[in-house]
Amino acid sequence: MLTENEKKELQAALKKYPNRRSAVMDALRIVQNGRGGHIVKEDMLEIASILEMQPAEVNAAATFYTMYNVNKPVGKHHIQVCRNISCSLMGAEHIIKHLERTLDIKTGQTTPDKKFTLSTVECLGSCATAPMMQINDDYYENLTDQKVDEILKNLK
Amino acid sequence: MESVLLKNIGKPDAHRIENYVRNGGYRALAAALKLAPEHIIQMVKDSGLRGRGGAGFSTGLKWSFIPKDPTVAKYLCCNADEGEPGTFKDRGIMDNDPHLLIEGMIISSYAIGASNAYIYIRGEFVFGARRLEAAIKEAYERGYLGGDILGSGFNLDMYVHRGFGAYICGEETALLESIEGYRAQPRKKPPFPALSGLYGKPTVINNVETLSCIPAIIEKGPEWFAGIGPAKSPGPKIYCVSGHVKKPGLYELAMGATARDIIFNHCGGMLRDDRALKAVIPGGVSAPLLTPKDLDTPLDFDSLAAKGSMLGSGAVIVMDSSTCMVKTAYIINRFFSHESCGKCTPCRDGTPWLTKILRRLEHGEGRAGDVEMLESLCDNIFGRTFCPLGDGAVMALRGALKNFREEFQYHVDHKRCMAC
């Protein structure tokens, strides 16, 4: 069930549009942010009923956009390393390997304590400060092994 | 050249409305609201401003296609789904000087008669979305948004719509689908958005940098704008420089700067002095690369088109002699394959096929005939897709094959790289 705060946030989102369906992306984001970073079927059913959509239509939107983690729990800190060209030229692969070694997981996995999930993503628009990564909402740029270690230490 | 797009970036708290106003902000809006909307459209036409999102279409002409009937609702959508790899100029504006974009959008909405405007910002730009939301709130509080703006009788509401991870939303009709709550797959054109766009209403979709040029055109006049850079694609341009240079970053220059000037004068030269320049992507990864012999080509719409490349988003990606072109092609193609929306077969099935071949070339598992197969696939994708995404994938790969074919063949013959 959506919490009162989530419902309030969704009502504010609905005010932006002339129809209810347009708020589906906001609704999914609100739910994902409030549920530890992923979305399950029950959430989508509830969104469908509030927005007067078919559940399949909500699912269709949720599974199209890559930032929705549908049925895919992520750790408390979701580390997303850019692997596109500008970051690759500046050593992104090395940073990814360093993170895999340090966290002792492969890309796409979550640490057993559910603290960290490691993903690779396409360009995040931070190309002059490559290599870079996003952890939850925040950007971390000009990465080196040492800088990555410090960032991880501060997140623990 | 006097900076107009990045002029406030770096000033303390440039994002706050009181500082924007103190630096001359919202003066252009006050001036514009005293002009007839048609007059503003004519000014933008006369300025020669061409869309900075990549297509380079005349902004004033685009606006002039909007029906004049005042009883029909109209929309302005700002395309802030900045996703072309190597591009970070729109983020620079939104994070640091959001009111520049908002002022440009209010003037543009007035010119086309829109009473609702959306900023479609990519989901990863959480900081930018919050900045914009806070700035919009400030603009309402000061009467620059809402009802009867500055006593002009003009009403405008502005909203932020957050994307959530899909490069295709930068395609304007996919962006509209996304705001309407659907999977972001491009629409058939015609009808063009100017007649039937968001919610079936006349809609203009402009890039962040394009809209951010508008206040300066009003304040300094279209002649000033048209006098900067080449006559056919004038104005200031933000070049986003990344890769192997000493000082990567955003550079606002007169349109038509050369790659040589950008790399060796503005960016301090190659990152490592012992490594020569090998290739430059001049306008985001869809743009075919340039080699050192083309370094004096002006980076503007027409000069790059004449060289078989394109200005695109103005993302200049610099690669030195240590760069493997097969790996580069693999990374770029993997991106297009990942971002294909799945609507049409040549792109949905063709881009992963290209990626599969490039991957095995890169991993020393190339087979005889692979290079020819890449070329054949390119021929079967290019011009046969629903939207330009598939074309972008092909243009990038063809550029690499044309200039560095021997490197691809070397990967086939020797199962390893000749560059790294």
Side-chain angles (χ1 to χ4, degrees):
Chain A
M1 290 290 284
L2 261 69
T3 64
E4 282 311 306
N5 266 344
E6 288 166 352
K7 277 184 191 157
K8 230 165 84 185
E9 231 185 304
L10 182 52
Q11 287 309 317
L14 277 164
K15 289 205 181 88
K16 300 193 288 184
Y17 308 104
N19 68 19
R20 301 180 77 77
R21 173 193 297 273
S22 287
V24 68
M25 293 186 71
D26 279 332
L28 288 163
R29 175 174 55 81
I30 291 163
V31 166
Q32 173 161 301
N33 287 348
R35 308 290 156 87
H38 77 290
I39 298 165
V40 295
K41 190 179 166 189
E42 288 68 33
D43 300 327
M44 290 193 281
L45 288 174
E46 194 180 355
I47 290 170
S49 120
I50 295 172
L51 299 182
E52 294 159 23
M53 292 168 72
Q54 294 300 322
E57 295 175 311
V58 176
N59 185 64
T63 52
F64 184 86
Y65 301 92
T66 55
M67 288 170 63
Y68 297 120
N69 301 312
V70 180
N71 296 323
K72 203 172 65 185
V74 293
K76 183 177 169 202
H77 306 292
H78 189 186
I79 303 173
Q80 306 190 86
V81 191
C82 172
R83 63 172 186 175
N84 211 295
I85 186 67
S86 301
C87 280
S88 170
L89 289 170
M90 300 305 286
E93 290 89 352
H94 178 83
I95 296 295
I96 294 164
K97 277 195 193 111
H98 180 71
L99 278 160
E100 286 184 334
R101 263 198 310 269
T102 308
L103 298 171
D104 196 22
I105 52 172
K106 292 253 177 286
T107 299
Q109 294 179 338
T110 301
T111 54
D113 61 4
K114 308 222 174 350
K115 249 184 186 157
F116 298 102
T117 297
L118 178 63
S119 304
T120 54
V121 291
E122 299 300 344
C123 185
L124 292 174
S126 185
C127 318
T129 45
M132 65 81 61
M133 63 185 174
Q134 182 170 23
I135 304 181
N136 298 346
D137 290 347
D138 301 319
Y139 278 24
Y140 296 86
E141 302 166 310
N142 293 311
L143 297 177
T144 58
D145 287 0
Q146 195 192 357
K147 206 164 164 186
V148 168
D149 293 342
E150 274 166 37
I151 293 163
L152 291 183
K153 203 172 73 192
N154 290 332
L155 287 174
K156 273 174 186 170
Chain B
M1 191 201 73
E2 181 196 352
S3 168
V4 292
L5 297 169
L6 302 180
K7 64 172 193 272
N8 292 329
I9 295 183
K11 292 181 186 165
D13 287 330
H15 63 282
R16 299 179 62 124
I17 198 163
E18 60 269 25
N19 294 325
Y20 183 72
V21 169
R22 190 177 309 125
N23 291 324
Y26 288 110
R27 274 198 319 232
L29 173 64
L33 291 174
K34 295 193 176 82
L35 302 171
E38 306 80 59
H39 185 77
I40 297 174
I41 295 178
Q42 191 59 46
M43 284 175 83
V44 175
K45 267 189 193 167
D46 293 344
S47 75
L49 172 62
R50 294 170 66 176
R52 303 301 198 234
F57 193 79
S58 160
T59 304
L61 198 57
K62 195 184 226 184
W63 290 6
S64 72
F65 297 150
I66 293 289
K68 302 285 177 281
D69 182 353
T71 62
V72 176
K74 302 170 192 79
Y75 291 99
L76 174 71
C77 293
C78 170
N79 187 342
D81 190 55
E82 182 169 61
E84 182 72 19
T87 315
F88 47 98
K89 62 189 176 67
D90 300 341
R91 175 174 166 241
I93 293 173
M94 294 186 290
D95 282 4
N96 299 292
D97 198 9
H99 285 288
L100 177 67
L101 170 62
I102 292 168
E103 184 178 12
M105 287 183 68
I106 302 169
I107 298 168
S108 307
S109 299
Y110 173 70
I112 64 165
S115 46
N116 286 284
Y118 291 96
I119 303 172
Y120 190 104
I121 185 168
R122 63 179 293 190
E124 294 88 342
F125 289 175
V126 180
F127 182 84
R130 288 181 185 147
R131 269 278 154 93
L132 285 168
E133 279 165 354
I136 288 172
K137 189 161 170 276
E138 287 179 323
Y140 271 104
E141 284 162 5
R142 294 225 178 181
Y144 299 125
L145 282 170
D148 191 22
I149 295 170
L150 303 180
S152 65
F154 172 61
N155 309 320
L156 178 68
D157 286 311
M158 190 177 289
Y159 309 100
V160 174
H161 181 98
R162 295 202 207 175
F164 229 62
Y167 168 73
I168 192 62
C169 292
E171 197 282 336
E172 59 180 16
T173 61
L175 181 151
L176 300 178
E177 287 288 291
S178 186
I179 296 180
E180 292 188 23
Y182 297 98
R183 293 165 81 87
Q185 294 185 320
R187 293 177 182 172
K188 190 166 84 65
K189 291 191 267 193
F192 288 92
L195 293 180
S196 178
L198 189 61
Y199 306 112
K201 304 293 186 209
T203 302
V204 162
I205 302 120
N206 283 142
N207 168 264
V208 172
E209 186 186 355
T210 310
L211 291 163
S212 298
C213 287
I214 302 299
I217 292 173
I218 300 294
E219 274 223 300
K220 297 171 190 290
E223 304 78 20
W224 164 82
F225 193 92
I228 299 169
K232 286 190 172 167
S233 46
K237 173 76 194 106
I238 306 175
Y239 294 98
C240 319
V241 192
S242 65
H244 295 144
V245 292
K246 284 202 173 67
K247 291 188 288 179
L250 295 175
Y251 293 89
E252 181 184 355
L253 305 171
M255 179 76 89
T258 64
R260 186 187 305 284
D261 184 36
I262 292 172
I263 296 168
F264 293 100
N265 293 331
H266 296 285
C267 296
M270 298 301 290
L271 181 61
R272 282 179 52 162
D273 295 324
D274 58 335
R275 288 184 183 165
L277 177 75
K278 182 169 182 176
V280 184
I281 295 174
V285 296
S286 307
L289 52 82
L290 302 178
T291 55
K293 69 178 181 345
D294 297 320
L295 276 189
D296 294 310
T297 308
L299 303 190
D300 64 64
F301 293 109
D302 304 311
S303 306
L304 280 166
K307 284 275 173 191
S309 188
M310 60 180 195
L311 178 67
S313 57
V316 179
I317 306 169
V318 182
M319 294 175 267
D320 71 18
S321 55
S322 69
T323 311
C324 168
M325 299 319 289
V326 175
K327 182 180 173 189
T328 302
Y330 166 55
I331 289 171
I332 291 173
N333 224 272
R334 182 180 64 188
F335 163 74
F336 285 112
S337 162
H338 182 261
E339 299 299 338
S340 177
C341 80
K343 179 158 182 153
C344 70
T345 313
C347 179
R348 182 189 61 231
D349 290 358
T351 52
W353 195 347
L354 288 172
T355 304
K356 195 174 151 189
I357 296 173
L358 289 164
R359 185 180 190 284
R360 68 176 181 241
L361 287 177
E362 168 60 11
H363 287 83
E365 297 154 8
R367 303 172 194 167
D370 270 355
V371 179
E372 293 73 15
M373 180 60 97
L374 287 174
E375 285 169 331
S376 163
L377 281 165
C378 283
D379 293 345
N380 282 292
I381 296 171
F382 191 79
R384 296 166 200 269
T385 55
F386 200 85
C387 85
L389 191 147
D391 288 346
V394 169
M395 287 191 295
L397 181 55
R398 277 180 174 167
L401 282 168
K402 188 177 127 205
N403 290 291
F404 296 98
R405 199 190 156 94
E406 73 284 358
E407 274 193 43
F408 287 80
Q409 196 57 50
Y410 194 93
H411 273 248
V412 174
D413 297 339
H414 299 87
K415 315 288 182 208
R416 63 185 170 82
C417 183
M418 64 196 286
C420 59

